[in-house]
């Protein structure tokens, strides 16, 4: 469906979004890179058109989540020490590194909604639709994630 | 600094490794050498020569819709322009690959005349949806006449009639299309910098024209009403396949591992789960759900069901006689035609007997914590073993008989129609167990209408979750084992 130029434009635009979400699931650079490549290949091979950029982005998120679930089932799943990984990242301040490790220390069901809500900017109903879980569950997970992170976050949480 | 800003800064250094995109492009090149590019449906190949893309972006103010016949049953609709000197700000749209202009705000449309019996019924997909009690309808989809409009043509297949018109001095094209379920009309109309796609069924050409003549348009506010999609982008989308997303399971493949590891009747199996049955991290221990299909039965009537939970859908009304016995499923098989030189054609009609299949399923909370909102989602799959592996026979029934598609009086998608445990708290549908204490078991009785000739192929997935995705078929039960 895409010319190489068009695909390269889209891949460059969404690659890091795919990687961030995959990393939040897998907590492993190599696995997240594999998922990113697989998702981009699926995008290139897709025959059906997208209604708009919002449809495309939602599709990418769903495919990323499914690819991550496949890796969970793999006996070759890799593990990585998050503290070691965080040391290699160029955080401007220690509190960002601490918060990153705290987020990655959460259960995956919390990490995914944290990434989608706070970083990708999706609303609770949108996240519920993307992950196919009830809206109330999304809200609950965000609240519980904040509760677990509250020692690291410096300000009170407010729903947008 | 807000929580959002803090979290964004903590996650901002997560990037894919250098070289990721280059590796993907290398894989794409390897793919191309092996298989070549596959282009959509037959109709698209036939139309390809007639669809011309590219050209220079022009600043124009006068437009005319123009149709071109392709084969016996296809038409391309394009925009011809009169070149004038009028500056418009243009930009490169990376999504479409065209140089185009900013979309206008959506118009506010008022219909001053409607066919008898029709009223306005806005839906999630369109604000302008008019329908009557017989299901006849008119819909309006407005797009912006952007500067790339003359670079694209929309390809329409299965066309039995079309003509160019002038409606109130505005250029229009009227088209009648033969679809699987009847005839459909389109009226493309240029009005006030917009291209309106007026479509529907069950309305005469005369009434469609009168409806269009009576439309009043007022440009809305972008911030309030949103933007009307550019015509060039809409044409790009329309020129390829149908809009619905196809996932792996919609193509009918079932993983061999899933089938070969199927459980049996009376066999309890455990899944990692917690509330709402979303897959948790494998690091989370102790949160499990045990599922057991206790028994399965077939019947020729619905007398065993609780009337409070019997569906009132068309499927069930078509299938169940007044005395509660089951009727037959009338299935018609068609060849699609290419939409350019051939139309859909009926090839075969058969009557298939129906059965009621009921299953008793137990869900037990094995964990030390209570579970809330446990999903109940029984899915029946008719699985057939072929040379290429296991496939969903219910998805491939028409193909197995040598046809392209089928139309049935009772159309089944495999999801449970009947279940006798309902949530009183859920806002996402009633198919949840509200609360399961540690060690507690809830028994659910489910039922489906099935084609008699598919009974022997059936497997049951009692925890089918998510969208139509092959991952949701995990842990199926061979109900005849």
């Amino acid at each position: 469906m895409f010319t190489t130029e068009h695909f390269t434009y889209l891949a460059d635009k969404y690659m890091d979004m795919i990687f961030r979400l995959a990393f939040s699931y897998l907590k492993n650079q190599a696995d997240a890179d594999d998922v990113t490549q697989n998702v981009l290949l699926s995008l290139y091979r897709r025959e059906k058109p997208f209604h708009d950029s919002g449809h495309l982005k939602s599709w990418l998120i769903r495919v990323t989540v499914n690819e991550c679930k496949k890796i969970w089932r793999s006996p070759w799943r890799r593990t990585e020490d998050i503290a070691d990984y965080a040391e290699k990242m160029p955080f401007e301040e220690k509190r960002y590194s601490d918060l990153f490790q705290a987020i990655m220390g959460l259960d995956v069901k919390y990490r995914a909604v944290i990434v989608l809500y706070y970083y990708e900017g999706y609303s609770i109903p949108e996240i519920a639709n993307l992950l196919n879980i009830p809206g109330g569950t999304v809200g609950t997970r965000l609240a519980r994630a904040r509760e677990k992170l509250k020692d690291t976050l410096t300000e009170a949480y407010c729903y947008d | 600094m807000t929580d959002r800003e803090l979290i964004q800064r903590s996650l901002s250094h997560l990037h894919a490794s250098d070289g990721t995109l280059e590796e993907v492009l290398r894989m794409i090149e390897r793919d191309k050498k092996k298989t070549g590019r596959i282009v959509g449906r037959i109709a698209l190949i036939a139309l390809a020569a007639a669809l011309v893309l590219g050209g220079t972006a022009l600043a124009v103010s006068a437009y005319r819709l123009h149709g071109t016949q392709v084969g016996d049953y296809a038409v391309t609709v394009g925009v011809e322009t009169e070149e004038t000197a009028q500056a418009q700000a243009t930009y490169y749209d990376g999504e479409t690959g065209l140089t185009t202009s900013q979309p206008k705000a959506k118009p506010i449309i008022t219909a001053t005349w409607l066919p008898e019996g029709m009223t306005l019924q806005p839906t999630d997909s369109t604000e302008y949806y008019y329908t009557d009690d017989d299901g006849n309808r008119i819909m309006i989809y407005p797009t912006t006449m952007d500067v790339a409009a003359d670079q694209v043509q929309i390809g329409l297949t299965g066309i039995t009639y079309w003509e160019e018109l002038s409606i109130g001095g505005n250029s229009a094209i009227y088209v009648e299309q033969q679809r699987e379920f009847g005839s459909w009309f389109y009226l493309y109309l240029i009005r006030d910098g917009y291209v309106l796609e007026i479509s529907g069924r069950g309305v005469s050409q005369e009434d469609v024209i009168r409806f269009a003549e009576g439309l009043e348009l007022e440009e809305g506010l972008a911030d309030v009403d949103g933007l009307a999609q550019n015509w060039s982008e809409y044409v790009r989308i329309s020129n390829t396949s149908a809009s619905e997303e196809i996932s792996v399971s919609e193509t009918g493949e079932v993983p061999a591992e899933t089938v070969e590891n199927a459980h049996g009747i009376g066999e309890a199996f455990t899944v990692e789960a917690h509330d709402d049955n979303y897959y948790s991290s494998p690091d989370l221990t102790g949160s499990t759900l045990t599922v057991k299909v206790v028994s399965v039965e077939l019947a020729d009537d619905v007398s065993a069901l609780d009337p409070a939970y019997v569906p009132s859908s068309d499927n069930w009304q078509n299938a169940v006689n007044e005395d509660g016995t089951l009727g037959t499923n009338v299935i018609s098989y068609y060849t699609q035609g290419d939409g350019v030189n051939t139309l859909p054609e009926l090839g075969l009609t058969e009557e298939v007997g129906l059965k009621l299949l009921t299953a008793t399923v137990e869900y037990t909370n094995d964990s030390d914590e209570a579970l809330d909102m446990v999903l109940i989602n029984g899915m029946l799959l008719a699985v057939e073993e072929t040379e290429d592996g296991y496939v969903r026979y219910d998805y491939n029934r028409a193909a197995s008989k040598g046809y392209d598609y089928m139309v049935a009086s009772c159309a089944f998608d495999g999801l449970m129609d009947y279940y006798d445990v309902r949530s009183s708290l859920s806002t996402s549908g009633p198919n949840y167990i509200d609360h399961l204490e540690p060690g507690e078991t809830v028994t659910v009785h489910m039922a489906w209408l099935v084609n008699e000739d598919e009974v022997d192929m059936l497997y049951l997935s009692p925890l089918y979750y998510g969208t139509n995705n092959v991952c949701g078929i995990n842990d199926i039960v061979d109900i005849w084992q």
Side-chain angles (χ1 to χ4, degrees):
Chain A
M1 185 171 73
F2 301 105
T3 63
T4 302
E5 179 191 31
H6 192 186
F7 170 75
T8 303
Y9 167 86
L10 293 174
D12 196 55
K13 181 175 178 180
Y14 293 112
M15 187 164 58
D16 282 344
M17 177 197 77
I18 298 167
F19 180 85
R20 266 191 298 275
L21 185 59
F23 193 92
S24 76
Y25 273 79
L26 303 169
K27 296 198 296 184
N28 178 282
Q29 173 85 32
D31 284 342
D33 278 335
D34 284 347
V35 167
T36 303
Q37 289 182 13
N38 290 340
V39 172
L40 290 177
L41 273 174
S42 295
L43 175 64
Y44 182 81
R45 289 168 180 158
R46 179 180 161 96
E47 295 282 349
K48 295 195 172 300
F50 296 101
H51 301 306
D52 51 34
S53 59
H55 182 201
L56 183 154
K57 197 174 169 185
S58 299
W59 184 88
L60 287 172
I61 287 173
R62 288 201 178 101
V63 174
T64 300
V65 171
N66 291 335
E67 287 292 323
C68 290
K69 289 178 181 177
K70 287 180 191 174
I71 287 191
W72 276 342
R73 293 176 178 81
S74 167
W76 311 112
R77 191 178 164 216
R78 291 163 278 209
T79 57
E80 188 163 0
D81 187 311
I82 284 299
D84 290 342
Y85 186 82
E87 281 188 7
K88 303 173 198 169
M89 297 169 77
F91 292 109
E92 293 87 349
E93 298 178 31
K94 184 178 181 301
R95 60 175 171 159
Y96 302 141
S97 173
D98 290 345
L99 182 55
F100 171 78
Q101 293 184 62
I103 291 172
M104 292 303 151
L106 298 173
D107 184 81
V108 64
K109 63 188 176 189
Y110 300 126
R111 299 198 300 266
V113 295
I114 287 280
V115 169
L116 290 172
Y117 185 81
Y118 284 100
Y119 201 95
E120 300 304 333
Y122 282 99
S123 66
I124 288 175
E126 288 171 330
I127 296 171
N129 186 46
L130 284 168
L131 301 183
N132 203 46
I133 55 178
T137 301
V138 175
T140 300
R141 289 182 186 177
L142 281 172
R144 288 179 181 169
R146 281 185 54 250
E147 184 68 23
K148 292 176 185 294
L149 294 173
K150 69 179 179 181
D151 290 339
T152 319
L153 290 171
T154 57
E155 291 186 11
Y157 173 83
C158 294
Y159 279 102
D160 288 335
Chain B
M1 185 177 292
T2 64
D3 291 352
R4 184 179 295 275
E5 287 167 344
L6 270 173
I7 292 174
Q8 285 179 341
R9 290 194 186 211
S10 73
L11 298 175
S12 63
H13 296 293
L14 283 175
H15 298 293
S17 294
D18 291 338
T20 295
L21 180 53
E22 287 76 8
E23 179 58 27
V24 172
L25 292 174
R26 274 194 290 274
M27 286 192 253
I28 289 170
E29 285 306 308
R30 286 198 295 267
D31 271 356
K32 282 183 184 174
K33 286 173 187 170
K34 277 192 284 185
T35 64
R37 288 288 289 136
I38 299 171
V39 180
R41 296 183 300 186
I42 295 172
L44 298 174
I45 295 173
L47 276 178
L51 293 172
V52 178
L53 296 177
T56 308
L58 296 174
V60 297
S61 65
Y63 303 88
R64 186 178 79 87
L65 286 162
H66 174 65
T68 303
Q69 185 77 32
V70 180
D72 293 332
Y73 298 110
V75 172
T76 62
V77 174
V79 175
E80 293 181 348
T81 63
E82 292 177 10
E83 193 173 338
T84 62
Q86 180 177 352
Q88 288 199 37
T90 61
Y91 68 95
Y92 173 75
D93 184 341
E95 306 286 355
T96 64
L98 294 174
T99 297
T100 184
S101 48
Q102 189 67 22
K104 291 161 64 89
K106 281 184 183 175
I108 300 169
I109 302 177
T110 305
T112 62
W113 182 88
L114 289 172
E116 186 177 346
M118 277 205 178
T119 56
L120 177 64
Q121 303 288 341
T123 70
D124 287 342
S125 57
T126 176
E127 297 151 343
Y128 303 105
Y129 179 82
Y130 308 85
T131 188
D132 61 19
D133 292 339
D134 296 324
N136 302 314
R137 65 193 67 165
I138 300 175
M139 298 180 291
I140 307 175
Y141 186 73
T143 60
T144 301
M145 178 64 73
D146 60 305
V147 295
D150 60 345
Q151 300 176 52
V152 298
Q153 297 182 67
I154 189 168
L156 302 170
T157 58
I159 304 305
T160 55
Y161 173 77
W162 67 277
E163 69 171 299
E164 295 178 6
L165 303 167
S166 176
I167 297 179
N170 298 295
S171 177
I173 284 186
Y174 175 82
V175 173
E176 289 180 359
Q177 181 184 54
Q178 185 63 39
R179 289 190 177 184
E180 294 168 3
F181 300 101
S183 181
W184 200 267
F185 70 83
Y186 290 90
L187 178 71
Y188 294 96
L189 172 65
I190 296 177
R191 279 281 305 268
D192 306 327
Y194 297 99
V195 180
L196 305 181
E197 181 187 83
I198 302 169
S199 64
R201 68 177 191 207
V203 182
S204 68
Q205 179 179 357
E206 181 183 351
D207 281 355
V208 171
I209 293 172
R210 188 172 174 187
F211 169 82
E213 286 172 337
L215 293 177
E216 294 179 350
L217 267 69
E218 175 189 346
E219 186 170 352
L221 298 173
D223 292 343
V224 175
D225 305 299
L227 298 175
Q229 183 179 35
N230 278 338
W231 169 251
S232 61
E233 184 187 5
Y234 179 67
V235 168
R236 177 189 70 84
I237 291 172
S238 299
N239 277 345
T240 47
S241 305
S243 61
E244 289 300 318
E245 182 177 321
I246 282 190
S247 64
V248 174
S249 69
E250 285 184 15
T251 66
E253 298 168 16
V254 182
E257 181 185 342
T258 300
V259 178
E260 288 157 8
N261 292 331
H263 306 285
I265 295 293
E267 178 187 344
F269 56 95
T270 301
V271 295
E272 295 171 359
H274 57 85
D275 52 22
D276 74 44
N277 199 38
Y278 173 69
Y279 257 74
S280 174
S281 162
D283 293 333
L284 185 68
T285 57
S287 179
T288 57
L289 197 67
T290 295
V291 183
K292 180 166 68 176
V293 179
V294 176
S295 63
V296 168
E297 292 183 12
L298 284 173
D300 295 318
D301 59 61
V302 299
S303 58
L305 303 182
D306 184 336
Y309 301 112
V310 173
S312 59
S313 63
D314 288 347
N315 262 356
W316 281 69
Q317 290 185 18
N318 290 339
V320 182
N321 298 318
E322 284 189 7
D323 62 359
T325 59
L326 298 179
T328 58
N329 193 3
V330 179
I331 305 177
S332 300
Y333 301 91
Y334 293 81
T335 52
Q336 176 72 39
D338 65 3
V340 178
N341 293 304
T342 53
L343 291 178
E345 195 172 319
L346 173 65
L348 169 70
T349 298
E350 64 177 354
E351 281 194 58
V352 179
L354 291 169
K355 291 288 188 185
L356 181 77
L357 189 145
T358 57
T360 301
V361 184
E362 292 180 351
Y363 298 85
T364 303
N365 180 1
D366 279 342
S367 66
D368 296 330
E369 295 182 5
L371 298 178
D372 294 324
M373 303 303 292
V374 177
L375 181 70
I376 310 164
N377 214 15
M379 165 70 101
L380 275 187
L381 306 89
V383 180
E384 184 184 33
E385 187 174 5
T386 70
E387 290 179 354
D388 300 320
Y390 294 98
V391 297
R392 291 280 298 268
Y393 178 78
D394 41 348
Y395 284 169
N396 293 289
R397 187 181 176 111
S400 71
K401 295 180 185 289
Y403 294 96
D404 296 317
Y405 69 93
M406 66 184 208
V407 177
S409 59
C410 304
F412 307 125
D413 61 5
L415 286 171
M416 57 185 189
D417 298 318
Y418 170 101
Y419 50 101
D420 63 0
V421 171
R422 302 294 176 104
S423 169
S424 59
L425 302 174
S426 168
T427 58
S428 301
N431 54 321
Y432 288 86
I433 300 170
D434 284 337
H435 185 81
L436 268 181
E437 284 290 319
E440 183 183 2
T441 297
V442 167
T443 302
V444 182
H445 300 96
M446 305 175 184
W448 299 258
L449 293 171
V450 298
N451 290 322
E452 191 173 37
D453 59 358
E454 294 176 9
V455 166
D456 291 340
M457 305 180 198
L458 294 175
Y459 290 77
L460 169 59
S461 171
L463 274 173
Y464 189 82
Y465 69 90
T467 59
N468 286 328
N469 184 296
V470 68
C471 296
I473 303 180
N474 277 351
D475 290 310
I476 62 175
V477 176
D478 182 349
I479 60 176
W480 306 121
Q481 188 183 94

